[in-house]
């Protein structure tokens, strides 16, 4: 784990791209080396290309960087890691071209999440899925081949919060065979140009987010799922083994997704409420054990107050890399219900990308 | 159904009381005859006693009424019907004294909802539960006894929306044996002095409402349940026959409770999505058939747009007496999921009380 | 004042257009005869062309109307009055073509507001400015010429509220020579596609609305100004005679512009606070005297409670056609300060257009 | 400037008290030594006495401190500095008893702000007013008397933001003789038990804050005013020399007061817009020159974007100790208008208290 790594950002002017830049600008292990945006922005200084909308000022160094097009050329080719905040409609081709050029890409776009050989990673949950990439890199090295490019996908924002408490529970108490999640999602997840309209979200909630329920139901099964014997492909949990039902809502909250979940274990008897709580309290994620810079000190904050977690009060725990869980109690229908809160732009998007990159660095994959 | 009935309001200065007054002031079949509040307000003109916080002006006639104490005396004794917006901590004794004095009370308080012989009524759902009271009144008449006082309870606000679509579904497709409901509840349900604090609800949600989940789970079973053979006591559905699991949240919305529900029918095979929708569309509540003034023209508004119902746009359907249902779809875990929206201060509180009184009048019980 | 008039709506799918349609659909004196939108919408049923976002349902009759292009042809030529909710970037040419075709146009767009012979009208304030058009129509009639087309402009939304209390004050106490107005404007004024972004307005205010301060400062001088001797051109108050300074803010409110204003009369001594209040209370607008359907019963609601007017509680006075004024008090710098509240989509936009048309009808101009 | 100073907090469980504790817990120069609250809380651990509502967790050390009553006894007597977050109804007597006991008190309450010999201090604006206390302490020392107790008052939250840009302007361009300020104030200024009700502030603004306009108008004249020849009493600017007119509004924003101000200089000709901007940019507050830990690096952030400052985006500049100014432009009525944003709980309340204490320490007064 030596040296500072060169980082590139694709989609640098968008809301996810801005978050990547903000996090990288303060990061001891990465330096921003290349920023990519549309041809309209290329050639401009970043401060002139971006409509900076973060609550912290754009760092002075980053202001002056000249934006390039999103092509695997120029300074991008010198990057150890490339973060993609691209929109799905352009991410597919661009990210592929970067991987083909031998680059390591961590993407927030949904395009490759369902590919059999692409890890879909919530870094405080399933960093072991990165092994599939690690093996690929090692194999190439052993064969004396050029280091291959690869892509690792960040999960959907609402999936990240959901799977955080599920992971330790499954590890300790065995499979979950039924799961419901009703989400109350913050608007920052939809970006800001235009994102969610004020007329849609003041004194209102919108009980629908396009594609979200399907992502939540599907991604959970891949993230909690396994890998084939070769260690080359992911094997999601089957629909029969785990029934997942999601209902997704947009609510008037800036940051922080709240999820009301209930779950049933396959094994009988189910654990007690206290055992479930203890399991959540004790969970320490792998990134934390690896000593990663951004890893949360306490992966899951288990709250005992009856009215917590709340997004405004609890979303910043461990700089947004921890997940808060409260109201763990028995469920008349399944086994347990609880409320999960996660910071959608940190552990649910750009922040997850940074922590994935820290894991890659800790494991010498980049 | 002749003549205008004299109405009293208990707890007239509070938020529910204000709503009763507003609705009564525009009502062709009732006139406000007595207003009751705490001893601090008694003797004052209503306009001086109340901090009027409705979006419509306090009607001029009502402004001048002199508030009395909440005792079954004076003008209250001349009332055909008394609406109670009292807080639970005082409602018990006061409402009892009114019933003992032979008055007809419709109460929004929770105190008597679980009494075996007290109807818990959502007027667009189970007006037949009023029969228990009707029988009591008839029996006394037949025996030549004095007309007895009685109390009818309005359901909890979130229960009202939930049971509206359930009723026609159960009537048509048989019992529901599993039900989950995650609510996103408006702040007007908590009143305004102080109600929900702005610091708790701006850029935030609170995943907890004291006692609410229990009410939602329990009241549903009474409202959808039956009556014993004598027609004197209510027999709620048993916990074994119907498992209900609720998760209740407070959200930054002024009026309108949104509920994400899923349900399973006991009978197999379950109906199709289209059959469920058709059943909801066709439902006409009894109050509507009776021609009650406030009864909704369309009891359930079935919405086909993917992102509806929304509280700000849909809560005023049929003046808040109708319920909107959208996103009816299959559920991977139970049979169906859907989103239900109801106006919490109309069909979920004061408005329900008015419609109950209209039914009482239509049936010559008052 | 006989018969129902045929109305057309330009820009029918936009937010102002939707408001025109909603108000017209319930209006006893107008019927919707033609709806115009972009070529993308032309030929479709209105319900398929518009993303209806009003809090009341789209009336069934209007749903089925076939949208046409915004050209002075077809059913538009049969209209007695055409309401324009067009965006400024297309309003100029289209509205001109309608006027040239002999049609009567009432426009919410800003394009012709500053034309010397175009009335800029707040219907509860300066309906006498319509005389310029009336004269034009009469002259043509006398000369035996074809009835000419004309355009009347609705004022900017924040101007409407501001000038309402100024008009009676100027009539009674003489010219105002200094005026400041700091506005807190609702987001509905910016439309909804996309309008104000949720990220810009949740837990935030935006202290800037493009072009708004200039409009507020300039339009006030035209509306409170006079007409030349011929009765053909408007003569705004000069910058020397009346200094106006505006500061405009967007706030997280759905409907209702609040304005904190202060003003100084040119004449000494200035009236007393009580005289100012009495003047505002007594003001009855011309439209009200004419018996116009939508005219407010009480033009200005003078509120004495210290914390009123408030947008959520007071914006619906007289269906949004009245203006509320509160906190009238002496100002240490100028003479008086006060708070003015007006409903920006009613008296500040579509509603004003409807009331202007009612005045045109009452005066037999249409 | 040696050693860590012992700090006490009065009103420790309230919202201002919680802020003091949070800021002190992370402060290198102070340690929390005593916490005072009502008799109801006395004797309890702080974590049990307080309903902690900050966005950061209560630090572990502070959780365990035993709360005492607000009396000048026990650990309070060992404090180098006592911060008061008491409510005005109890602050008067308690704070006096602490001063009488020889303690140094920095208070957020309004009770002593208008006392002739009590400094009213915005630490980035008029730290020189502390000299009056410094002289008092020195005199006592020279006379060999016991070190006297004293009180320094923190200004009202909306005053703090207002005077920040005025100070450098007055220093450079001479007196301001006319000033208007319309405020859009965040709800955190009203605390949280209950503070501003959600029903009052969702989809609403309240154009009134009790006593606020008077404070804003009066405090400005004391803070920008001088000291008598003895250096013992403050001499506010007279009402004739400076006319100040304030209009105060509560808006749906969590933190950050926005103020739309306009001002006129007494001296002619007035400076240019560019000179005003340059003056604001160049201002460096005394606390910053003294090297105080919390002093802002850049006292005033002058923003050139047309739509800034905005509370959500700009309130955290220099940890809330800096003030942001934007939209500096000419005013048709006075000389200039501009928008000022300040963090009401930092530079407008608890944070100001901490920075005042840092100045006291830097000057060896404590």
């Amino acid at each position: 784990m030596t040296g500072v790594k060169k980082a590139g950002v694709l989609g640098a002017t968008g809301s996810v791209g801005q978050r990547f830049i903000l996090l990288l600008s303060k990061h001891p292990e990465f330096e921003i080396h290349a920023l990519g945006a549309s041809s309209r922005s290329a050639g401009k200084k970043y401060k002139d290309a971006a409509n900076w909308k973060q609550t912290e000022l754009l760092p002075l160094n980053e202001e002056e960087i000249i934006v390039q097009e999103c092509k695997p050329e120029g300074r991008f080719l010198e990057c150890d890691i490339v973060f993609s905040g691209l929109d799905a409609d352009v991410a597919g081709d661009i990210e592929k071209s970067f991987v083909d050029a031998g680059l390591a890409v961590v993407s927030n776009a949904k395009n490759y999440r369902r590919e059999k050989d692409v890890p879909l990673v919530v870094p405080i949950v399933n960093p072991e899925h990165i092994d599939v990439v690690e093996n690929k890199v090692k194999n190439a090295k052993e064969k004396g081949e050029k280091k291959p490019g690869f892509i690792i996908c960040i999960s959907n924002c609402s999936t990240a919060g959901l799977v955080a408490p599920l992971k330790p529970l499954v590890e300790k108490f065995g499979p979950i065979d039924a799961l419901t999640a009703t989400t109350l999602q913050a608007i920052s997840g939809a970006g800001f140009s235009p994102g969610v309209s004020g007329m849609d979200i003041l004194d209102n909630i919108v009980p629908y987010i396009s594609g979200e329920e399907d992502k939540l139901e599907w991604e959970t099964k891949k993230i909690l799922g396994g890998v084939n014997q070769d260690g080359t492909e992911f094997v999601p949990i089957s629909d029969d083994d785990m029934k997942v039902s999601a209902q997704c809502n947009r609510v008037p909250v800036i940051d922080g997704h709240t999820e009301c979940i209930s779950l049933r274990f396959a094994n009988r008897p189910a654990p007690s409420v206290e055992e479930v709580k203890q399991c959540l309290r004790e969970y320490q994620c792998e990134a934390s054990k690896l000593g990663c810079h951004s890893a949360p000190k306490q992966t899951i904050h288990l709250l005992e107050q009856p009215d917590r977690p709340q997004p405004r009060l609890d979303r910043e725990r461990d700089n947004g890399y921890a997940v808060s869980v409260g109201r763990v109690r028995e469920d008349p229908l399944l086994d347990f219900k609880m409320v999960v809160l996660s910071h959608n732009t940190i552990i649910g998007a750009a922040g997850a990308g940074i922590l994935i990159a820290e894991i890659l660095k800790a494991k010498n994959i980049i």
Side-chain angles (χ1 to χ4, degrees), chain A residues 71-366:
Chain A
K71 292 178 182 171
E73 55 190 34
R75 295 173 69 89
F76 274 121
L77 292 179
E78 299 157 9
C79 288
D80 298 298
I81 183 85
V82 174
F83 299 95
S84 168
L86 291 167
D87 284 339
D89 55 346
V90 297
D93 290 348
I94 293 175
E95 293 177 356
K96 184 171 187 312
S97 72
F98 273 67
V99 173
D100 289 348
L103 289 159
V105 177
V106 175
S107 171
N108 193 57
K110 70 180 178 187
N111 306 56
Y112 295 108
R113 287 183 192 158
R114 301 196 185 202
E115 292 297 305
K116 287 191 175 170
D117 60 345
V118 171
L120 177 61
V121 176
V122 177
I124 59 170
V125 171
N126 66 330
E128 67 274 14
H129 279 197
I130 294 174
D131 295 352
V132 168
V133 158
E134 192 174 13
N135 295 339
K136 200 171 154 192
V137 172
K138 272 189 194 154
N139 289 344
K141 198 172 180 183
E142 283 167 11
K143 291 183 190 164
E145 292 172 6
K146 198 182 154 227
K147 189 174 170 181
F150 61 84
I151 185 166
I152 296 176
C153 286
I154 300 166
S155 83
N156 183 43
C157 51
S158 56
T159 312
L162 177 61
V163 295
L166 301 186
K167 182 63 181 297
L169 293 176
V170 167
E171 280 183 349
K172 185 142 192 178
F173 305 114
I176 288 167
D177 68 1
L179 174 69
T180 71
T182 300
T183 68
L184 294 82
Q185 299 185 219
I187 63 172
S188 58
F192 47 65
S193 48
V196 179
S197 163
M199 286 299 284
D200 282 339
I201 209 65
L202 263 189
D203 183 23
N204 205 23
I205 72 110
V206 181
Y208 177 71
I209 301 171
S210 179
E212 193 80 1
E213 293 173 356
D214 184 48
K215 284 183 210 165
L216 204 56
E217 292 172 7
W218 195 90
E219 294 184 6
T220 297
K221 293 171 190 161
K222 179 168 180 178
I223 292 168
L224 296 179
V227 180
N228 67 2
Q229 283 197 314
D230 303 354
T232 55
E233 288 193 356
F234 295 96
V235 185
I237 299 170
S238 75
D239 290 353
D240 281 346
D241 286 343
M242 185 181 195
K243 293 186 193 305
V244 185
S245 176
Q247 304 202 53
C248 294
N249 301 282
R250 191 72 75 186
V251 296
V253 165
I254 291 286
D255 288 316
H257 288 356
T258 306
E259 310 188 35
C260 295
I261 76 174
S262 63
L263 58 89
R264 184 177 61 206
F265 292 102
N267 298 335
R268 300 284 95 181
S272 70
V273 165
E274 190 42 51
E275 285 170 329
V276 165
K277 287 183 179 180
Q278 191 59 23
C279 169
L280 296 174
R281 264 188 223 108
E282 287 174 353
Y283 178 56
Q284 193 188 5
C285 70
E286 183 69 17
S288 170
K289 293 176 193 163
L290 284 168
C292 291
H293 173 73
S294 306
K297 279 185 197 133
Q298 177 75 27
T299 307
I300 292 174
H301 289 244
L302 188 84
L303 306 173
E304 293 286 0
Q305 300 99 310
D307 61 351
R308 302 285 278 267
Q310 294 178 16
R312 195 175 70 75
L313 296 180
D314 297 310
R315 64 195 168 202
E316 298 291 350
R317 294 291 87 77
D318 286 290
N319 298 315
Y321 283 94
V323 167
S324 296
V325 176
R327 304 201 69 214
V328 179
R329 61 212 192 279
E330 289 190 352
D331 180 36
L333 188 61
L334 305 181
D335 288 341
F336 299 100
K337 30 187 183 183
M338 62 190 77
V339 178
V340 181
L341 175 77
S342 59
H343 195 305
N344 56 299
T345 76
I346 305 295
I347 197 58
I354 302 295
L355 185 49
I356 289 170
E358 293 175 18
I359 296 170
L360 290 172
K361 184 163 178 288
K363 294 191 165 190
N364 292 312
I365 303 174
I366 61 168

